[in-house]
């Protein structure tokens, strides 16, 4: 029935005169806690309420208990309404169910963010406890046979009153019930709940462990590494898979150490896979992948594997050529007698780009300050969607840290407020998660008074904070992440759905990633970069030759990146489809041999760092499907004029506003041509390789 979803003045005035171009660049080129140093025109908050996200209860962490109690009370009242004798004569049953979902999600989504991202341990613990309690309520409701029957009967009983949207959302709620085994006997339902509880706990432990560094005692080092690592502190801490080092032994050591064996994490991984298979079998599905993908564009493993196989065949020759270029560079320029390995790829591909294009980060990063990039985003939103980002002053206790920005998203035509985006952009030592992502705090939905509930999202990134003499400067990859996450945020902002259950990013995973993937195309378009890439101090535009080289660099070695994603997607399917009696590392070796040019590095355990197992289990391939759809939208709607307001209006009105209210294929086909099987997606994904 329900689904719980899931970031100072930087230079003394006497040293450097800052040329702020506007409100956004002024604000984002300084730490929010120092706003008093420079006068910036902030929009006054529309509400005087304080507390986290404007919720008065959350002036203290203890307020979570009050929020949960109030939500539970309203849910009980709604359940009573659903079972009342006159139910159906006043309101549709699906409306009542969506209100139940909304009450629970407004607390659960908030708690999910706080328990993973708040710096205060008291807040995290309280949020975690409340999230658990809400999850238990959801489990109880999802296995309530009487509720399920009430909703199912309403499809016939209220048939004359239900339109296409009502019926679709009603069926989605029913599908959630059925995925929770509502059709099972009492004993099997109890078993499902027990397995699911164990699975939630395992996933949380796996995610936490996957982000922990590897610790290597110097005394345990392989003798071949001892000389090159003799100056490292004991124990050696490795928190990355790749390192930019000239010494290939160091690169090898870092890669293998980060992916080293971890028996505890291995047990978590195997248990997660096995529990998922138990749940799928219990609910009558052939595999967990069949269960996970029933509402996706590619709704079964056969379609998924065929898509990945076709993509692999198309790019294979180009990937071989690209890896051979790296191989040759390693032999001739780096004077190495060793073959090319996975740990060589990032540094060698980067050096080839630098050599071929004569391009270095130092040539462009001063032109991509955080404030400048926010101006670029706002320029796109103004032209394409006719909306504007405005800085809004935070009320006391509204944010979880002093370096948070708050943006109001408003229509240019009538100043209508669409929603709020909280920006948690900077890396902090006490930042609980180092993953770039977005969190939905509150979804849009049509309320009974015919107004929309305001969507609220958090963008959670890990940029370096400003220094004393300059603002935060973004690499090209950081800028891509910023634009990507803003794509998700705007999907939520533009939602105009009747029901929160299908609002914004609450749609199939492969469709939810389309807006974020499309925004990345703007980063790589020289016409767009030319409009906003300007020096943070002098306002001088970035040289056109540098812009062209940057955009060209993003097209180099794309076949290698795609081959990696295809391999990871195939492994993700294999883990959830095949018998785990064979070791995961043996499966990795087998699929690497089939789908990748480079050999598997023996005794490395990639699956133990596979964080997408948690939220994208059996669905990692969806990134490739969404990238293919975004590519097709770009080429058919925006490539001639990236700032086309007419194309933007069509994209917004025909796709973004609906969220999951309609079938993804129906929405996509209303904007671009896409056959039901999605066969032309392979061409869209691979045509620019």
């Amino acid at each position: 029935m329900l689904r719980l979803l899931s970031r100072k003045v930087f230079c003394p005035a006497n040293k450097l005169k800052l040329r702020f171009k506007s409100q956004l660049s002024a604000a984002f080129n300084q730490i929010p806690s120092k706003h008093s140093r420079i006068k910036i025109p902030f929009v006054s908050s529309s509400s005087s309420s304080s507390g986290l996200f404007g919720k008065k209860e959350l002036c203290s962490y203890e307020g979570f208990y009050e929020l949960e109690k109030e939500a539970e009370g309203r849910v009980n009242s709604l359940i009573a309404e659903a079972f009342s004798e006159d139910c159906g004569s006043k309101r549709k049953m699906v409306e009542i169910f969506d209100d139940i979902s909304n009450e629970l999600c407004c607390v659960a989504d908030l708690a999910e963010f706080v328990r993973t991202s708040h710096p205060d341990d008291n807040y995290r613990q309280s949020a975690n406890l409340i999230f658990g309690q809400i999850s238990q309520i959801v489990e109880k409701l999802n296995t309530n046979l009487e509720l399920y029957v009430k909703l199912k009967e309403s499809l016939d009983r209220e048939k004359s009153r239900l339109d296409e949207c009502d019926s679709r959302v009603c069926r989605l709620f029913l599908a959630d019930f059925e995925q929770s085994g509502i059709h099972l006997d009492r004993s099997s339902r109890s078993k499902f709940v027990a397995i699911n509880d164990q699975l939630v706990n395992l996933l949380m432990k796996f995610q936490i462990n996957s982000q922990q560094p590897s610790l290597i005692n110097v005394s345990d080092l392989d003798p071949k590494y001892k000389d090159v690592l003799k100056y490292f502190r004991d124990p050696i801490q490795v928190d990355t898979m790749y390192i930019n080092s000239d010494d290939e032994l160091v690169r090898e050591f870092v890669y293998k150490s980060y992916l080293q064996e971890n028996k505890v994490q291995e047990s978590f991984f195997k248990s997660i896979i096995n529990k998922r298979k138990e749940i799928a079998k219990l609910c009558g599905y052939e595999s967990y992948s069949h269960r996970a993908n029933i509402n996706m564009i590619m709704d079964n493993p056969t379609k998924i594997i065929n898509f990945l196989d076709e993509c692999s065949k198309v790019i294979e020759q180009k990937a071989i050529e690209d890896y051979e270029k790296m191989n040759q560079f390693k032999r001739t320029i780096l004077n190495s007698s060793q073959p090319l390995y996975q740990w060589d790829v990032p540094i060698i591909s980067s050096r080839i780009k630098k050599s071929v294009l004569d391009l270095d980060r130092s040539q462009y990063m001063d032109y991509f300050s955080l404030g400048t990039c926010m101006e670029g985003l706002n320029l796109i939103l103004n032209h394409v969607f006719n909306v504007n980002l405005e800085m809004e002053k935070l009320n006391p206790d509204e944010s979880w840290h002093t370096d948070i920005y708050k943006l109001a998203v408003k229509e240019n035509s009538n100043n209508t407020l669409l929603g709020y985006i909280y920006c948690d952009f900077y890396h902090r030592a006490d930042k609980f998660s180092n993953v770039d992502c977005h969190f939905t705090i509150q979804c849009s939905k049509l309320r009974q008074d015919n107004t929309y509930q305001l969507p609220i999202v958090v963008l959670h990134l890990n940029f370096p904070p400003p220094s004393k003499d300059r603002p935060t400067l973004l690499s090209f990859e950081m800028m891509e992440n910023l634009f990507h996450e803003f794509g998700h945020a705007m999907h939520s902002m533009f939602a105009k759905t009747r029901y929160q259950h299908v609002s914004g990013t609450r749609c199939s995973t492969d469709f939810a990633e389309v807006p974020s993937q499309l925004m990345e195309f703007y980063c790589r378009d020289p016409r767009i970069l030319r409009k906003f890439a300007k020096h943070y101090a002098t306002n001088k535009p970035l040289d056109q030759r540098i812009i062209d080289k940057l955009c060209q660099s993003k097209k180099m070695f794309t076949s290698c990146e795609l081959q990696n994603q295809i391999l990871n997607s195939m492994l993700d399917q294999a883990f959830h489809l095949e018998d785990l009696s064979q070791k995961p590392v043996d499966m990795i070796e087998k699929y690497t041999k089939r789908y990748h040019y480079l050999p598997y590095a023996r005794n490395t355990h990639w699956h133990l760092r596979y964080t997408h197992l948690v939220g994208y289990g059996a669905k990692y391939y969806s990134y490739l499907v969404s990238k293919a759809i975004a590519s097709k939208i770009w080429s058919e709607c925006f490539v001639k004029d990236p700032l086309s307001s007419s194309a933007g209006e069509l994209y917004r009105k025909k796709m973004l506003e609906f969220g999951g209210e309609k079938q993804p294929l129906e929405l996509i086909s209303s904007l671009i041509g896409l056959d039901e099987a999605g066969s032309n997606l392979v061409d869209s994904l691979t045509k620019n390789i």
Side-chain angles (χ1 to χ4, degrees):
M1 172 189 152
L2 304 173
R3 293 176 302 218
L4 299 184
L5 299 183
S6 351
R7 222 183 219 334
K8 172 177 176 181
V9 174
F10 59 81
C11 183
N14 62 345
K15 288 189 178 180
L16 178 65
K17 185 177 180 180
L18 304 179
R19 298 190 183 183
F20 290 137
K21 297 184 286 299
S22 78
Q23 178 197 128
L24 287 180
S25 60
F28 281 93
N29 277 346
Q30 58 176 314
I31 291 282
S33 59
K34 304 295 185 181
H35 280 152
S36 57
R37 298 278 197 89
I38 295 178
K39 293 183 179 179
I40 303 171
F42 287 97
V43 179
S44 297
S45 177
S46 57
S47 170
S48 59
S49 64
S50 59
L52 200 59
F53 294 105
K55 294 187 179 294
K56 292 178 181 179
E57 298 90 343
L58 294 182
C59 288
S60 162
Y61 64 88
E62 294 171 335
F64 269 111
Y65 305 101
E66 186 178 345
L67 280 178
E68 189 273 337
K69 187 177 179 181
E70 291 171 351
E72 189 173 1
R74 289 191 290 269
V75 165
N76 289 334
S77 297
L78 288 163
I79 292 172
E81 181 184 353
F83 284 105
S84 64
E85 290 184 5
D86 61 348
C87 179
S89 61
K90 294 180 180 179
R91 288 213 294 159
K92 300 170 186 175
M93 186 66 73
V94 68
E95 292 174 348
I96 298 171
F97 270 65
D98 192 68
D99 284 347
I100 293 172
S101 178
N102 188 52
E103 291 291 346
L104 294 172
C105 286
C106 280
V107 179
D109 291 342
L110 173 57
E112 170 69 0
F113 167 71
V114 173
R115 75 180 186 138
T116 59
S117 303
H118 202 289
D120 189 303
D121 191 51
N122 289 321
Y123 269 94
R124 287 203 304 273
Q125 288 184 16
S126 298
N128 193 52
L129 181 62
I130 294 306
F131 184 84
Q133 290 178 6
I134 294 289
S135 297
Q136 288 175 5
I137 294 171
V138 170
E139 283 179 7
K140 187 177 178 181
L141 293 175
N142 279 350
T143 52
N144 186 320
L145 187 59
E146 291 177 327
L147 267 179
Y148 171 73
V149 170
K150 269 283 182 185
L151 183 62
K152 192 170 186 178
E153 288 177 347
S154 73
L155 274 173
D156 289 326
R157 189 177 61 251
E158 301 174 11
K159 188 175 182 179
S160 62
R161 301 173 59 203
L162 301 180
D163 61 19
E164 190 178 337
C165 172
D166 297 324
S167 298
R168 171 170 166 76
V169 175
C170 187
R171 288 191 175 91
L172 287 172
F173 275 127
L174 290 171
D176 288 342
F177 271 116
E178 288 154 10
Q179 284 204 356
S180 296
I182 194 69
H183 54 293
L184 304 174
D185 58 59
R186 186 180 296 273
S187 173
S188 297
R189 286 204 304 273
S190 297
K191 185 178 180 182
F192 175 93
V193 171
I195 296 171
N196 195 59
D197 283 345
Q198 296 167 15
L199 186 56
V200 169
N201 189 43
L202 285 165
L203 287 166
M204 184 174 67
K205 290 179 177 178
F206 181 87
Q207 185 166 33
I208 291 171
N209 276 10
S210 67
Q211 297 179 45
Q212 299 303 307
S214 297
L215 297 176
I216 314 296
N217 293 319
V218 172
S219 58
D220 297 332
L221 281 176
D222 185 313
K224 72 176 181 178
Y225 298 130
K226 285 192 174 181
D227 190 49
V228 295
L229 299 172
K230 60 186 176 184
Y231 297 114
F232 284 68
R233 184 178 297 176
D234 190 11
I236 301 171
Q237 179 172 305
V238 181
D239 57 6
T240 182
M241 195 184 306
Y242 302 106
I243 188 170
N244 186 12
S245 171
D246 289 331
D247 195 311
E248 57 188 308
L249 274 178
V250 173
R251 298 198 297 270
E252 177 185 349
F253 167 77
V254 166
Y255 182 88
K256 289 184 174 179
S257 297
Y258 191 70
L259 299 180
Q260 69 180 355
E261 183 180 19
N262 182 322
K263 291 182 179 178
V264 172
Q265 186 76 333
E266 182 80 23
S267 70
F268 290 155
F269 177 86
K270 288 182 177 179
S271 296
I272 288 167
I273 298 298
N274 287 328
K275 296 294 179 190
R276 282 177 168 172
K277 290 181 178 180
E278 281 185 66
I279 281 178
K281 187 176 180 181
L282 195 61
C283 295
Y285 293 94
E286 188 177 335
S287 73
Y288 181 77
S289 181
H290 285 83
R291 179 178 183 266
N293 290 290
I294 55 172
N295 289 313
M296 303 283 270
I297 294 168
M298 294 189 178
D299 55 8
N300 66 70
T302 301
K303 289 181 183 177
I304 295 165
I305 291 169
N306 286 343
F307 168 72
L308 295 172
D309 270 331
E310 285 302 309
C311 289
S312 179
K313 290 172 188 173
V314 171
I315 67 154
E316 184 178 17
Q317 186 55 43
K318 178 58 177 169
I320 291 172
E321 292 170 6
D322 282 345
Y323 280 122
E324 276 304 318
K325 286 179 187 175
M326 294 187 216
N327 232 333
Q328 185 178 7
F329 188 91
K330 184 176 181 181
R331 287 194 306 268
T332 58
I333 307 301
L334 301 184
N335 298 316
S336 173
S337 59
Q338 295 295 311
L340 185 72
Y341 291 107
Q342 281 283 4
W343 50 82
D344 297 319
V345 172
I347 187 171
I348 292 178
S349 60
S350 176
R351 292 194 180 182
I352 293 175
K353 289 178 183 181
K354 183 177 179 180
S355 172
V356 171
L357 300 174
D358 189 26
L359 182 66
D360 188 83
R361 283 185 177 188
S362 63
Q363 295 173 284
Y364 68 83
M365 283 185 67
D366 286 350
Y367 297 82
F368 292 123
S369 69
L370 178 55
T372 297
C373 292
M374 289 303 298
E375 288 293 343
L377 270 168
N378 204 29
L379 178 145
I380 295 164
L381 297 177
N382 268 269
H383 282 79
V384 179
F385 301 115
N386 199 28
V387 299
N388 191 53
L389 303 176
E390 294 184 3
M391 296 299 302
E392 183 149 330
K393 193 171 183 178
L394 288 155
N395 287 309
D397 306 317
E398 188 178 352
S399 72
W400 51 100
H401 199 275
T402 56
D403 63 8
I404 309 302
Y405 307 88
K406 182 182 179 183
L407 292 171
V409 183
K410 295 185 176 182
E411 297 277 13
N412 280 331
S413 57
N414 54 18
N415 211 36
T416 299
L417 177 65
L418 295 178
Y420 292 114
I421 301 172
Y422 290 80
C423 303
D424 187 353
F425 281 168
Y426 299 122
H427 173 77
R428 297 186 296 270
D430 61 356
K431 204 165 187 175
F432 191 67
S433 173
N434 60 2
V435 177
D436 290 348
C437 57
H438 96 292
F439 289 87
T440 300
I441 305 300
Q442 180 171 284
C443 277
S444 174
K445 70 165 280 167
L446 187 63
R447 295 182 288 209
Q448 291 188 52
D449 63 1
N450 220 33
T451 63
Y452 282 95
Q453 178 173 281
L454 285 179
I456 300 170
V457 302
V458 174
L459 297 188
H460 184 279
L461 301 169
N462 287 275
F463 299 149
S467 64
K468 289 182 179 180
D469 56 358
R470 65 181 183 181
T472 292
L473 303 178
L474 303 187
S475 67
F476 206 92
E477 292 72 26
M478 290 177 186
M479 182 172 65
E480 282 183 314
N481 283 357
L482 175 65
F483 276 54
H484 179 100
E485 298 304 337
F486 247 92
H488 285 308
M490 297 315 296
H491 198 178
S492 294
M493 295 298 111
F494 290 144
K496 292 294 179 191
T497 53
R498 192 180 307 167
Y499 300 112
Q500 72 85 35
H501 193 64
V502 290
S503 178
T505 56
R506 287 184 174 165
C507 53
S508 71
T509 308
D510 44 8
F511 184 62
E513 289 294 332
V514 172
S516 54
Q517 296 279 0
L518 186 67
M519 282 302 297
E520 291 187 32
F521 280 88
Y522 282 93
C523 297
R524 304 165 194 149
D525 193 300
R527 296 166 294 179
I528 298 299
L529 296 183
R530 187 162 54 238
K531 289 183 179 294
F532 74 85
K534 294 175 182 174
H535 197 283
Y536 69 87
T538 66
N539 210 25
K540 179 183 176 183
L542 182 59
D543 189 289
Q544 183 62 44
R545 291 170 298 177
I546 303 296
I547 290 176
D548 291 339
K549 288 178 181 180
L550 264 175
C551 295
Q552 188 180 344
S553 74
K554 297 307 296 182
K555 296 177 181 178
M556 296 176 69
F557 303 117
T558 51
S559 64
C560 302
E561 180 185 346
L562 188 51
Q563 194 173 69
N564 277 334
Q565 290 178 308
I566 291 169
L567 171 60
N568 295 348
S569 299
M570 287 300 304
L571 283 168
D572 182 44
Q573 289 300 308
F575 291 146
H576 291 95
L577 286 169
E578 297 181 18
D579 185 2
L580 265 195
S581 57
Q582 57 182 317
K583 293 180 180 178
V585 289
D586 292 338
M587 294 173 70
I588 295 171
E589 183 171 16
K590 179 178 76 174
Y591 278 89
T592 301
K593 209 173 275 185
R594 180 174 173 183
Y595 288 99
H596 210 283
Y597 173 80
L598 296 179
Y600 163 69
R602 285 187 175 276
N603 299 317
T604 57
H605 302 255
W606 168 84
H607 59 295
L608 303 184
R609 296 288 186 178
Y610 178 49
T611 54
H612 284 89
L613 180 71
V614 178
Y616 283 74
K619 296 189 287 188
Y620 184 78
Y621 76 92
S622 62
Y623 280 110
L624 296 176
V625 172
S626 61
K627 187 181 288 188
I629 295 168
S631 176
K632 194 164 176 58
I633 292 172
W634 179 262
S635 63
E636 294 193 18
C637 301
F638 294 105
V639 74
K640 290 181 180 177
D641 180 6
L643 297 179
S644 169
S645 58
S646 58
E649 184 177 8
L650 282 174
Y651 174 51
R652 178 177 172 180
K653 297 295 182 186
K654 290 193 172 188
M655 279 184 61
L656 297 181
E657 288 189 355
F658 288 100
E661 203 167 63
K662 294 185 178 183
Q663 288 281 2
L665 271 175
E666 180 185 348
L667 293 176
I668 296 162
S669 298
S670 71
L671 186 68
I672 56 172
L674 188 68
D675 60 74
E676 188 173 345
S679 59
N680 49 5
L681 290 180
V682 175
D683 292 336
S684 296
L685 183 64
T686 60
K687 68 178 181 180
N688 294 320
I689 297 298

